[in-house]
Structure formats: C-alpha cells, structure tokens
Amino acid sequence: MFRNSRFNPSGGIMDFWTEFKKPTPYRGLILLASAVPCLLLMWWATEEEYRIAPVSPTITYITSFAADQTDEEIIAGNAARQKIADQRKAEREELAARKRAIYRDLGRATGVEVPDEAEVLAEQEAAKAETSAELETANAE
C-alpha cells in the first residue's frame, strides 16, 4: 500500500529504531516517564466504578378524556373527530387530483404520452383486488 506512495512510513520507523537501539544512559528513565502517565490514566479509568440503583420510570397516563364522561359524550366526540378526519381526507384527495391534473397538463405540454386517468385507476383497483385476494388465500391456509 505504501510502496509507491509519498507517505511511506517505513523510513521514519527505521530512523526511530536506529535511534532507539543506541545505548543511552537515560533510555530506561525516558521510557518509564513516558509510560507512567499513560498507565496511571488507564488505571484510573478502569478502576472507577459506580453502582447506582436504577431510577424507576415515571408513568404519565393519557389525560385527554375525562374519567366521568358519559357514553353520549364519548360518541359525540368520536363523531366530531371523524368529521374532521373526513374533511382532511377530502382535502388530501382534492390536492392529489389537482397534482394529477398539473402533471397531466405538463406532460401534454412537453409532448410526453399521458395515460388515461380512468385506465390508471382501473389498474390500481385491480392491483388492490389482487392483493386482497392473495391475503385472503394466505389467511385461509
């Protein structure tokens, strides 16, 4: 990997080894002075131990419904929420129809062949029916 590279570390390693092999009077002290801080840090990090009891979780209950609601109030609330959900679904469908119309107009303006919307919807319905039939047969087994 480093054979033809400008960043070949072998020369530096060989220089270090050449200097390290030379007998010097303080080589042992230098090695010890270099190793002691590292070893002390490793000892401190591995010896530190904490045993703390786990904190019990706090439970928050859903408080959006009053505990003393009557069945009629619950039914009325469900009906109101369903009405809002139906309005949002109608808005999403209207937006999707507007997007399809914009893409259809863009495709016609740029010369792209645009499939008939009724055919696409029929294919989607057929795919849904096929998927539901496969699920029914899988569930029957």
Side-chain angles (χ1 to χ4, degrees), residues 25 31-32 40 52 66 70 84 99 104 115 127 141:
L31 279 174
L32 184 65
L40 284 175
I52 301 172
T70 63
I84 292 170
K99 282 184 184 179
R104 182 180 60 244
E141 294 174 355

Side-chain angles (χ1 to χ4, degrees), residues 7 11-12 26 43 54 63 92 94 102 107 132:
F7 306 105
Y26 301 111
W43 173 76
T63 58
R92 283 194 304 268
E94 180 184 337
I102 290 170
S132 63

Side-chain angles (χ1 to χ4, degrees), residues 2 8 44 54 61 67 82 85 104-105 141:
F2 294 112
N8 191 346
W44 173 76
Y61 294 98
Q82 186 62 45
R104 182 180 60 244
D105 294 342
E141 294 174 355

Side-chain angles (χ1 to χ4, degrees), residues 12-81:
I13 294 170
M14 293 305 294
D15 286 344
F16 171 77
W17 188 248
T18 303
E19 291 299 316
F20 187 74
K21 283 192 318 184
K22 290 181 182 177
T24 57
Y26 301 111
R27 180 171 56 183
L29 289 173
I30 292 172
L31 279 174
L32 184 65
S34 300
V36 165
C38 182
L39 293 174
L40 284 175
L41 184 65
M42 294 297 287
W43 173 76
W44 173 76
T46 57
E47 289 296 315
E48 200 166 320
E49 186 175 309
Y50 294 102
R51 293 186 187 251
I52 301 172
V55 178
S56 54
T58 57
I59 299 173
T60 304
Y61 294 98
I62 298 173
T63 58
S64 59
F65 298 116
D68 58 346
Q69 269 187 330
T70 63
D71 289 342
E72 291 80 22
E73 290 173 339
I74 293 172
I75 292 170
N78 289 345
R81 283 187 290 281

Side-chain angles (χ1 to χ4, degrees), residues 94-124:
E94 180 184 337
L95 181 62
R98 286 182 22 211
K99 282 184 184 179
R100 284 193 301 270
I102 290 170
Y103 282 122
R104 182 180 60 244
D105 294 342
L106 178 66
R108 288 185 181 143
T110 57
V112 175
E113 184 180 336
V114 179
D116 186 31
E117 197 169 333
E119 291 176 9
V120 171
L121 291 175
E123 288 176 7
Q124 289 175 351

